[in-house]
Amino acid sequence: MNAITKFDLSPRQIALVQQTVAKDCNAEEFNLFMEVARAKGLDPFLGQIIPMVFSKNNANKRKMTIIISRDGQRVIAQRCGDYRPASKPATYELDASLKSPLNPQGIVSATVYLWKQDPKSGEWYEVAGQSYWEEFAPIKDEWAENEKTGKNYKTGKQTLDDSGNWCRMPRLMIAKCAEMQALRAGWPEQFTGLYDEAEMDRAKIIDLTASEIVEHEREENRLKAVGASNSITITWGDNWALENVPVGEFFDRACEFIEKEPPAKVAKWRDANREPLKMFWSKHPGDALELKKRLEAAIARPAQKTASDAELRNHPLMAG
């Protein structure tokens, strides 16, 4: 293994790092950042290592994550002695049906292959890293203010963050994430706990720390596994079994239900599904407001009167 570059900054240089590269860090975070930079032999002035502080104004959630730039990653990898960079371009899985403002090129995933040398045989083998667009692209929810309550709510619309390079160079950004995945897979001792900035762009948008975004992704995967990622879990009263209804179908299905069922059953359905209805409100407040009006009208309408036997006998159609 190659020797780590000598890390020897003067007091003046250390102060300059604190004032520039690490200006968002408090004292403890700055000390940790400098120790990691020293241990990895990376130069903050060259942008090889960067501190990223999440929730800067919230003491309970505040957390720093260490970012290693692409140059820094390759510096560390090259020192390992058993690393060779990719010998071919990243490969991409594309789906034209996914093309949209949220995914300009319809990218499903990117895969990068690096080379690692077997210490016993000396032979080189490929180490793959794969990243999926839906897991790393910085897609953010659109929020608006409710004029009546003054509270913010999700409009149901989403946008791809355009403050970085994801809109301009989507292939490059997802490939950077895949390369970091490969580095962690092949050289875990050197890269565990370190992140590429492209990996954290999504975290910046939704204000999650590195560990939180991993848990966030696990939760999304759990929802996808049960078909609930983009759906509302609802019961229709048939033995109170649960059904995952796609968000786009929920309004029509709910309206159909409340129009044909008696007021008492509609009221019972509403009470049993308060949380799903709140979730629908967060996703589509306009449709949710209309659904609320229809619910109230359905519950308020008089129940149909059942005709008595005498009324049936005296009905003109029943006359002998």
Side-chain angles (χ1 to χ4, degrees):
M1 182 181 294
N2 296 343
I4 292 180
T5 302
K6 186 178 180 181
F7 188 93
D8 188 13
L9 297 180
S10 68
R12 180 175 174 276
Q13 288 175 315
I14 293 175
L16 186 58
V17 171
Q18 188 173 31
Q19 295 165 13
T20 55
V21 178
K23 62 182 179 181
D24 291 332
C25 296
N26 59 31
E28 291 182 356
E29 292 163 348
F30 179 67
N31 290 338
L32 175 60
F33 168 69
M34 294 302 291
E35 285 302 317
V36 174
R38 189 188 309 277
K40 299 297 182 182
L42 298 177
D43 192 334
F45 290 115
L46 296 180
Q48 294 175 346
I49 184 168
I50 307 162
M52 184 179 292
V53 181
F54 292 89
S55 301
K56 289 179 283 190
N57 299 320
N58 187 333
N60 294 326
K61 291 186 64 179
R62 182 184 177 98
K63 187 175 179 67
M64 179 187 69
T65 296
I66 303 293
I67 303 297
I68 306 297
S69 70
R70 209 171 195 186
D71 289 341
Q73 295 163 25
R74 290 172 176 174
V75 166
I76 295 174
Q78 200 65 49
R79 295 189 192 126
C80 296
D82 58 354
Y83 159 86
R84 271 174 32 199
S87 57
K88 56 186 177 183
T91 59
Y92 300 90
E93 181 184 352
L94 305 176
D95 184 344
S97 67
L98 295 178
K99 284 187 177 181
S100 70
L102 300 181
N103 190 344
Q105 296 188 12
I107 297 172
V108 177
S109 67
T111 304
V112 170
Y113 297 93
L114 304 178
W115 292 93
K116 183 179 175 70
Q117 188 176 35
D118 187 289
K120 295 182 179 179
S121 66
E123 295 184 357
W124 292 86
Y125 61 92
E126 288 184 324
V127 177
Q130 186 175 32
S131 291
Y132 289 87
W133 180 268
E134 64 179 15
E135 295 176 1
F136 289 98
I139 296 172
K140 57 184 178 181
D141 293 309
E142 183 182 276
W143 291 76
E145 184 178 346
N146 187 308
E147 295 181 357
K148 294 183 179 179
T149 64
K151 295 182 179 180
N152 292 331
Y153 66 91
K154 292 181 181 179
T155 65
K157 297 180 180 179
Q158 293 182 313
T159 57
L160 178 63
D161 180 53
D162 59 1
S163 62
N165 292 319
W166 284 88
C167 289
R168 294 185 291 274
M169 295 180 285
R171 291 189 181 218
L172 172 65
M173 300 306 287
I174 196 66
K176 289 175 68 176
C177 297
E179 184 171 345
M180 194 63 182
Q181 299 276 54
L183 288 170
R184 286 199 205 96
W187 298 267
E189 184 178 346
Q190 287 77 22
F191 290 97
T192 296
L194 302 179
Y195 299 87
D196 184 277
E197 190 169 7
E199 292 181 290
M200 302 310 298
D201 283 340
R202 182 167 183 166
K204 287 188 290 185
I205 292 301
I206 57 180
D207 196 24
L208 297 179
T209 65
S211 57
E212 287 173 331
I213 198 170
V214 171
E215 181 56 34
H216 180 75
E217 182 58 35
R218 287 175 181 164
E219 178 63 21
E220 285 190 355
N221 289 336
R222 283 195 291 267
L223 291 173
K224 289 172 187 173
V226 297
S229 178
N230 194 30
S231 62
I232 305 292
T233 303
I234 201 84
T235 177
W236 301 107
D238 44 355
N239 296 321
W240 302 107
L242 297 176
E243 179 185 351
N244 292 323
V245 180
V247 174
E249 301 176 10
F250 183 80
F251 179 79
D252 292 336
R253 293 280 303 277
C255 289
E256 181 183 356
F257 175 84
I258 63 179
E259 286 172 5
K260 71 178 183 181
E261 298 296 341
K265 188 171 182 179
V266 173
K268 187 177 180 181
W269 177 83
R270 178 199 60 187
D271 294 340
N273 290 290
R274 290 191 182 277
E275 290 305 316
L277 289 170
K278 288 180 183 178
M279 182 180 294
F280 183 59
W281 174 274
S282 70
K283 293 177 179 292
H284 293 284
D287 288 343
L289 182 59
E290 176 61 26
L291 181 60
K292 181 176 182 291
K293 293 178 181 178
R294 296 193 186 193
L295 268 172
E296 292 172 347
I299 294 171
R301 69 177 178 242
Q304 292 183 343
K305 183 180 178 182
T306 303
S308 65
D309 290 342
E311 289 173 327
L312 288 174
R313 284 196 299 269
N314 294 328
H315 194 280
L317 293 178
M318 299 295 290

